[in-house]
């Protein structure tokens, strides 16, 4: 199988002496939808910055579709599309010019550049804005403009640094759908995020980075299997005055009509319901706590911290 | 990148640069037209008529080549320094850094953008000067070659200034404290033969003197200095500045952490 991105022993020490990456390694397979997860300041943007030639590495190796970023610069760069974390276009330029100009930087002839710009601007719902200056766009539109710009040379690998940060929920969903569409059409995608829900619903494989080190690199599925407990939220009647005790389950009363129950893997729910019935507590509705990955993530980062303290 | 792709990338940068200075023509093309017209009226007509001859020509004829050159210099420099600095400042330099466009093409593109503005302004000022004096060109080749080389030189200078600049203030320090004095002392308004011998010698260290004089030679056929030597100096400066600017770009100075 072809490897879209290969990172080996990548280190970055910034000018002020701060070591932002402590020798990380991971591979991303062609066709994958990959998430680089980590808390703020973990080193996600630094990693993507080096891959996009915007940050100088201190040591290590980056290969994009087998092309070394140092020795085969042009070929490596051609395979890559970049959507950075911060807006970085000329605010005074027109939307259409921004996308066509970017095509020119990849050596795409004017006519083809025009067609491509039209295609991607339409796809991202910006065609009506082609003659507006970039500064006139809303935040969500600016972000879509960066995606159109990154796709105009039709890269095989698209990397996005926190693409949905500060984007409202509706737009976030439509952006997810778009990314899934181009991933299904064959583009390998890597994104960084700290919305775990995003990684959970989009990505197949992940790496978790913290304090400049990769602390986990696996598939979402196997990561979720590592969860030893699952949390359920139960709405109950009548209101409960004080804590509810149920043998074998850890239960917390969040408010008089909401119970938070931890269920161990393989434990089943019958015992829980039987005891609730005995105590005359009726369950009016129940849901799975959505951010399972969040819990895991927090516990991992904490463990990583403990290891360091030890 | 293939030759054709390099050419496309290069012309994309140049077109973007031309689009920029024509979009803001009221800040880029209009001010030198007004300033130079004032120079022509005040120095050329009003004061010049009392000065009499300078270097064998009437004063208006003498200063026109210098003023054209002065506008080429300031506009070439000004175009690249502000364009490249704001590209850095707004971070849209990243559009180029992620692309396969090599650094020498990026540099050449910005320089040609500066040359385009320098020549555009030079052309406007030349047209305006025709309202005040007749312009005969002694040597077309020398005139064009000088104006081109000078424009390239100051575009490169503007580029290097922009690389080191960290704020908008930094892009006006060099023009104000170095470029303007050197231009005024570079024989735009007077022949250095008017100066005492010592100051003539000092003036020879001013690179702008060589450009103004070669250009004046191209138009009028007279020069304070040896034209061949002046040309060699200008070419040498160009090569040196190009290499310095390219080196800075390769290092990622001011644009990559
Ligand atoms: N230019 C810089 N100089 C010094 N330190 C930096 C610089 N850029 C980032 N850092 C530091 O490097 C670490 C990683 O930053 P970053 O890669 O932006 O993290 P993330 O994207 O995961 O939030 C942070 O601690 C940040 O403060
Ligand atoms: Mg970041």
């Amino acid at each position: 199988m072809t490897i879209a991105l290969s990172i080996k022993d990548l280190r970055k020490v910034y000018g002020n002496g701060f070591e932002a990456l402590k020798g990380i390694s991971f591979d991303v397979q062609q066709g994958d939808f990959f998430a680089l997860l980590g808390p703020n300041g973990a080193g996600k943007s630094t990693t993507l910055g080096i891959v996009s030639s915007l940050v100088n590495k201190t040591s290590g190796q980056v290969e994009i579709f087998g092309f070394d970023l140092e020795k085969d610069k042009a070929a490596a760069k051609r395979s890559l599309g970049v959507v950075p974390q911060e807006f970085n276009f000329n605010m005074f330029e027109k939307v259409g010019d921004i996308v066509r100009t970017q095509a020119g930087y990849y050596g795409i002839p004017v006519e083809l550049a025009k067609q491509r710009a039209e295609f991607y601007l339409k796809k991202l719902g910006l065609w009506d804005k082609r003659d507006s200056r970039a500064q006139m766009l809303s935040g969500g539109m600016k972000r879509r403009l960066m995606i159109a710009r990154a796709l105009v040379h039709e890269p095989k690998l698209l990397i996005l640094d926190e693409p949905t940060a500060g984007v409202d929920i509706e737009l976030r969903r439509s952006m997810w759908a778009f990314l899934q569409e181009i991933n299904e059409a064959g583009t390998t995608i890597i994104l960084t995020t700290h919305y775990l829900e995003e990684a959970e619903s989009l990505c197949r494989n992940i790496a978790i980075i913290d304090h400049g080190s990769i602390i986990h690199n696996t598939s979402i599925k196997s990561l979720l299997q590592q969860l030893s407990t699952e949390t359920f939220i139960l709405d109950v009647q009548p209101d409960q005055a004080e804590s509810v005790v149920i043998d074998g389950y850890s239960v917390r009363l969040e408010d008089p009509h909401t119970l938070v129950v931890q269920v161990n893997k393989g434990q089943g729910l019958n015992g829980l319901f039987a005891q609730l019935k005995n105590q005359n507590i009726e369950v009016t509705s129940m849901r799975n706590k959505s951010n399972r990955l969040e819990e895991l993530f927090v516990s991992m980062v904490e463990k990583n911290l403990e290891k360091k303290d030890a | 990148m293939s030759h054709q792709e390099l050419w496309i990338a290069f012309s994309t940068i140049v077109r973007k640069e031309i689009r920029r200075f024509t979009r803001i023509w009221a800040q880029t093309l209009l001010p030198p037209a007004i300033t130079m017209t004032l120079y022509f009226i005040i120095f050329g007509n009003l004061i010049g008529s009392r000065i009499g001859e300078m270097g064998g020509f009437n004063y208006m004829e003498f200063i026109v080549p210098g003023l054209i050159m002065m506008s080429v210099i300031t506009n070439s420099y000004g175009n690249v320094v502000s364009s490249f600095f704001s590209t850095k400042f707004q971070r849209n330099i990243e559009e180029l850094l992620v692309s396969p466009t090599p650094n020498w093409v990026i540099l050449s593109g910005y320089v040609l953008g500066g040359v385009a503005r320098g020549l555009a302004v030079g052309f406007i000022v030349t047209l305006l000067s025709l309202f005040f004096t007749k312009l005969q060109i002694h040597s077309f080749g020398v005139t064009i070659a000088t104006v081109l080389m000078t424009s390239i030189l100051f575009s490169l200078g503007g580029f290097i200034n922009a690389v080191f600049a960290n704020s908008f203030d930094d892009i006006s320090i060099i023009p104000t404290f170095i470029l303007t004095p050197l231009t005024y002392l570079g024989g735009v308004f007077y022949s250095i033969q008017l100066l005492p011998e010592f100051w003539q010698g000092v003036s020879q260290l001013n690179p702008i003197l060589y450009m103004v004089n070669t250009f004046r030679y191209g138009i009028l056929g007279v020069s304070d200095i040896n034209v061949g030597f002046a040309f060699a100096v200008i070419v040498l400066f160009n090569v040196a500045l190009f290499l310095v600017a390219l080196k800075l770009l390769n290092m990622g100075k001011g644009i990559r952490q």
Side-chain angles (χ1 to χ4, degrees), chain A residues 217-237:
Chain A
N217 182 2
T218 178
S219 70
I220 291 264
K221 258 195 207 136
S222 76
L223 188 72
L224 290 176
Q225 273 162 13
Q226 289 185 18
L227 282 167
S228 50
T229 64
E230 222 169 325
T231 307
F232 292 93
I233 297 170
L234 278 54
D235 294 323
V236 296
Q237 269 178 358

Side-chain angles (χ1 to χ4, degrees), chain A residues 44-45 85 161-162:
Chain A
K44 304 182 295 294
S45 295
Q85 188 171 354
D161 199 355
E162 310 220 9

Side-chain angles (χ1 to χ4, degrees), chain B residues 6-242:
Chain B
L6 290 173
W7 172 251
I8 291 169
F10 173 72
S11 53
T12 302
I13 300 172
V14 175
R15 271 205 310 274
K16 179 189 66 124
E17 284 305 286
I18 294 176
R19 208 160 58 222
R20 191 195 79 96
F21 77 72
T22 47
R23 182 177 61 222
I24 51 171
W25 61 274
Q27 297 164 52
T28 53
L29 303 178
L30 190 57
I34 294 174
T35 321
M36 288 304 149
T37 306
L38 289 173
Y39 275 123
F40 290 144
I41 294 173
I42 295 169
F43 290 104
N45 265 359
L46 301 180
I47 300 178
S49 58
R50 307 212 166 182
I51 292 178
E53 282 203 346
M54 177 82 67
F57 292 87
N58 74 45
Y59 192 60
M60 178 65 101
E61 285 174 319
F62 182 85
I63 62 166
V64 162
L67 290 176
I68 294 172
M69 211 52 172
M70 185 161 134
S71 30
V72 170
I73 289 173
T74 39
N75 282 281
S76 305
Y77 194 94
N79 196 69
V80 183
V81 77
S82 40
S83 175
F84 195 70
F85 179 72
S86 82
T87 297
K88 226 173 80 169
F89 186 78
Q90 297 198 57
R91 313 240 319 242
N92 53 310
I93 184 66
E94 294 181 358
E95 295 174 339
L96 276 162
L97 298 181
V98 300
S99 82
T101 304
N103 288 335
W104 64 268
V105 171
I106 298 178
L107 177 60
S108 310
Y110 273 89
V111 167
L112 193 59
V115 170
R117 159 124 163 244
L119 295 189
V121 171
F123 184 68
I124 292 170
V125 173
T126 307
L127 287 184
L128 289 170
S129 76
L130 295 178
F131 288 104
F132 300 91
T133 181
K134 280 202 296 273
L135 211 57
Q136 279 166 339
I137 295 187
H138 173 76
S139 160
F140 210 75
V142 172
T143 309
I144 295 296
T146 311
V147 92
L148 259 180
M149 295 301 280
T150 305
S151 185
I152 293 174
L153 197 157
F154 284 95
S155 298
L156 286 165
F159 188 92
I160 294 171
N161 188 168
V163 166
F164 284 102
N166 290 317
S167 71
F168 281 99
D169 285 339
D170 292 346
I171 68 174
S172 62
I173 288 177
I174 305 264
T176 310
F177 292 103
I178 299 181
L179 219 53
T180 308
L182 284 185
T183 313
Y184 277 77
L185 299 173
V188 172
F189 297 102
Y190 55 84
S191 161
I192 61 165
Q193 266 134 32
L194 296 184
L195 300 175
E197 207 156 304
F198 173 75
W199 290 108
Q200 284 192 27
V202 172
S203 294
Q204 308 264 347
L205 298 176
N206 178 356
I208 292 180
L209 180 80
Y210 297 87
M211 301 167 207
V212 168
N213 272 286
T214 333
F215 187 66
R216 184 174 287 133
Y217 174 81
I219 292 186
L220 301 178
V222 297
S223 166
D224 286 349
I225 47 174
N226 181 305
V227 172
F229 176 71
F231 223 79
V233 171
I234 301 171
V235 171
L236 207 72
F237 262 100
N238 267 324
V239 173
L241 287 185
F242 189 88

Side-chain angles (χ1 to χ4, degrees), chain A residues 51-154:
Chain A
V51 173
S52 355
S53 311
L54 300 176
V55 175
N56 286 330
K57 68 184 178 192
T58 303
S59 63
Q61 199 189 6
V62 177
E63 277 181 17
I64 301 170
F65 282 94
F67 297 112
D68 189 294
L69 194 50
E70 223 163 331
K71 290 176 212 133
D72 267 320
K73 211 182 241 170
K77 284 173 159 185
R78 218 187 284 272
S79 318
L80 178 72
V82 181
V83 181
Q85 188 171 354
E86 322 250 345
F87 302 132
N88 68 342
F89 35 74
N90 185 337
M91 291 290 170
F92 307 112
E93 288 242 41
K94 291 179 183 164
V95 168
D97 284 338
I98 288 175
V99 179
R100 283 192 294 270
T101 299
Q102 188 69 47
Y105 294 161
Y106 287 88
I108 297 170
V110 176
E111 271 314 305
L112 184 58
K114 275 189 193 155
Q115 287 168 20
R116 293 261 186 92
E118 178 173 348
F119 179 79
Y120 286 103
L121 285 175
K122 279 184 175 158
K123 216 148 172 59
L124 284 146
L126 290 171
W127 183 239
D128 292 344
K129 299 281 175 191
R130 63 188 176 280
D131 290 322
S132 307
R133 298 220 181 146
Q135 62 184 350
M136 306 307 282
L137 300 183
S138 70
M141 287 177 177
K142 285 179 183 153
R143 210 150 280 279
R144 281 181 281 154
L145 170 57
M146 293 211 292
I147 297 180
R149 187 185 61 182
L151 290 172
V152 75
H153 64 292
E154 308 200 321

Side-chain angles (χ1 to χ4, degrees), chain A residues 164-182:
Chain A
T164 55
V167 166
D168 66 54
I169 195 85
E170 208 172 312
L171 182 59
R172 191 179 304 168
R173 304 260 165 206
S174 75
M175 227 146 99
W176 287 1
F178 176 76
L179 292 177
Q180 257 158 343
E181 184 191 322
I182 61 171

Side-chain angles (χ1 to χ4, degrees), chain A residues 233-246:
Chain A
I233 297 170
L234 278 54
D235 294 323
V236 296
Q237 269 178 358
D239 283 1
Q240 303 296 309
E242 43 206 79
S243 61
V244 176
V245 178
I246 294 168

